[in-house]
Amino acid sequence: LFLLLLLLLLCLRGRGQGFGQTRFICTSVPLDGDMCAASAPGTGSAEELKSTVLQLRETVLQQKETIMNQKETIRELTAKLGRCESQSVLEAPPGEPKGGGAGRKAGFSKNTMGDLSRAPAAETLSQLGQTLQSLKTRLENLEQFSRMNSSSQTNNLKDILQNKIDDLEKQVLSRVNSLEEGKLNPKNESEERGKIESTLTSLHQRISDLEKGQKDNRPPDRFQLTFPLRTNYMYAKVKKSLPEMYAFSVCMWMKSNASPGMGTPFSYAVPGQANELVLIEWGNNPMEILINDKVAKLPFVINDGKWHHICVTWTTRDGVWEAYQDGTQTGSGENLAPYHPIKPQGVLVLGQEQDTLGGGFDATQAFVGELAHFNVWDRKLSPGEVYSLATCSTKALSGNVIAWAEANIDIYGGATKWTFEACRQLN
């Protein structure tokens, strides 16, 4: 590098002095010799060469110093950039991927009621809004009950609960405004969220206590479950598990106009198999019955907002199945999980599809609508027995495995129990 710079400078100097065509001769210099003492013919005196070399050395030293300063500046800028990137990751808006990586897949973000305190702010507000809507629906049902029974105590409590819900809606609206204006810091947001969730828990308990007062006025099987919203936290759980079964009949009343798809009326999961027995209508697909992850499409047309009675029967021998709607057989088939017995010691859930044993709910697969008289038998019902159920005959049997009774069902997340009216309308 040094020799190249020397040759370049000499060339430029030669042209500037009007030497015309110049020829440079390389002369070897001993290791212990003085390079300035070696001179080439026609290139000037030794003093001039020595002066040129000194100037080049000074120029090289200055360039080295400049490079060192630039390296230090680059290090400082890199450090500042890193700090800026870290800050921008911490302040990224909810729902946007952080750190330049891809965000989580939308379908796998499962926020149950217990997860609200850890959810992003916007998602939390959405969940709170859905819960408030559920509470309002339950209060409307209680209002209907109070009109029929003219209880002053019921009316007073309803008014108190309605006022509390109105206050909660104002708090949620205030949180939305604060988030939009950037006023909430993480500490204040966490405290305020805790207060709202505590109030919601209290409201759920008081409404549940009030709803329990209706039980004395109806038979234990004259009730329905209502799932007004497509959430991942509203569901009911059957207290009993299914036994090992080599045949079954599952029958129920359903009412829904949800679109697309009414969701999952029930799902039964066992250890190692989340889809042991599932009834589901998801997206634009027809309703399906799953047994050990094997699928049969059912010819039901029931999402018209009216009550319909459906039954599905199945035997493990050749996997033969039959489907009934409103007392009439509408379809049948075979080779559905043949010779696979339904396994025992599982969890039976109404209103949600299980991805894990007793949980892993996905809001897109949740049931939206009303459900009643869910009964299970460990045998295939006859067409006459199915017709008796669909016409609310006094001869209709209750399930010998799972019978529809309030004592057998626990509800969670704001699902509602209310008086079943379909059979009263038929009779």
Side-chain angles (χ1 to χ4, degrees), residues 135-284:
L135 291 173
K136 279 190 167 184
T137 302
R138 294 171 71 180
L139 282 175
E140 289 172 3
N141 290 335
L142 291 171
E143 188 175 19
Q144 294 175 8
F145 177 77
S146 67
R147 282 199 298 266
M148 291 186 293
N149 294 275
S150 64
S151 168
S152 59
Q153 182 180 4
T154 299
N155 285 328
N156 291 337
L157 186 52
K158 180 191 73 65
D159 291 338
I160 292 172
L161 293 174
Q162 183 64 59
N163 290 335
K164 282 188 172 290
I165 288 181
D166 291 341
D167 291 339
L168 274 174
E169 285 185 316
K170 292 178 183 177
Q171 291 183 48
V172 172
L173 181 60
S174 174
R175 289 189 66 198
V176 172
N177 293 334
S178 297
L179 283 170
E180 288 177 349
E181 297 172 4
K183 291 180 180 179
L184 284 180
N185 61 48
K187 182 179 179 181
N188 292 339
E189 183 183 355
S190 178
E191 292 176 357
E192 190 170 353
R193 184 186 300 170
K195 291 178 183 178
I196 293 177
E197 290 176 359
S198 176
T199 307
L200 282 174
T201 301
S202 175
L203 277 173
H204 274 299
Q205 185 60 48
R206 296 185 69 177
I207 292 177
S208 297
D209 291 342
L210 186 57
E211 288 169 339
K212 289 177 183 177
Q214 305 165 19
K215 293 182 180 179
D216 297 336
N217 300 304
R218 65 173 180 241
D221 66 339
R222 190 66 62 84
F223 75 101
Q224 68 188 45
L225 298 179
T226 300
F227 304 91
L229 303 171
R230 198 179 294 277
T231 73
N232 60 356
Y233 55 80
M234 282 189 185
Y235 68 102
K237 183 179 177 181
V238 180
K239 294 181 180 179
K240 292 176 58 180
S241 175
L242 298 180
E244 185 174 64
M245 296 189 299
Y246 296 86
F248 68 74
S249 297
V250 179
C251 301
M252 71 200 79
W253 285 89
M254 287 195 301
K255 177 182 177 182
S256 178
N257 59 0
S259 178
M262 68 175 61
T264 309
F266 77 90
S267 64
Y268 177 68
V270 297
Q273 177 54 278
N275 296 324
E276 183 68 7
L277 178 57
V278 181
L279 184 67
I280 185 171
E281 184 183 73
W282 190 23
N284 295 315

Side-chain angles (χ1 to χ4, degrees), residues 76-126:
E76 291 179 2
L77 290 174
T78 302
K80 290 179 179 180
L81 180 60
R83 288 195 295 270
C84 290
E85 289 177 344
S86 300
Q87 185 67 20
S88 65
V89 168
L90 293 174
E91 296 176 355
E96 292 187 4
K98 298 181 178 181
R104 291 184 63 188
K105 189 175 179 181
F108 290 89
S109 179
K110 302 187 180 300
N111 297 306
T112 62
M113 285 295 288
D115 293 332
L116 280 176
S117 60
R118 295 186 296 274
E123 188 174 348
T124 300
L125 290 173
S126 174

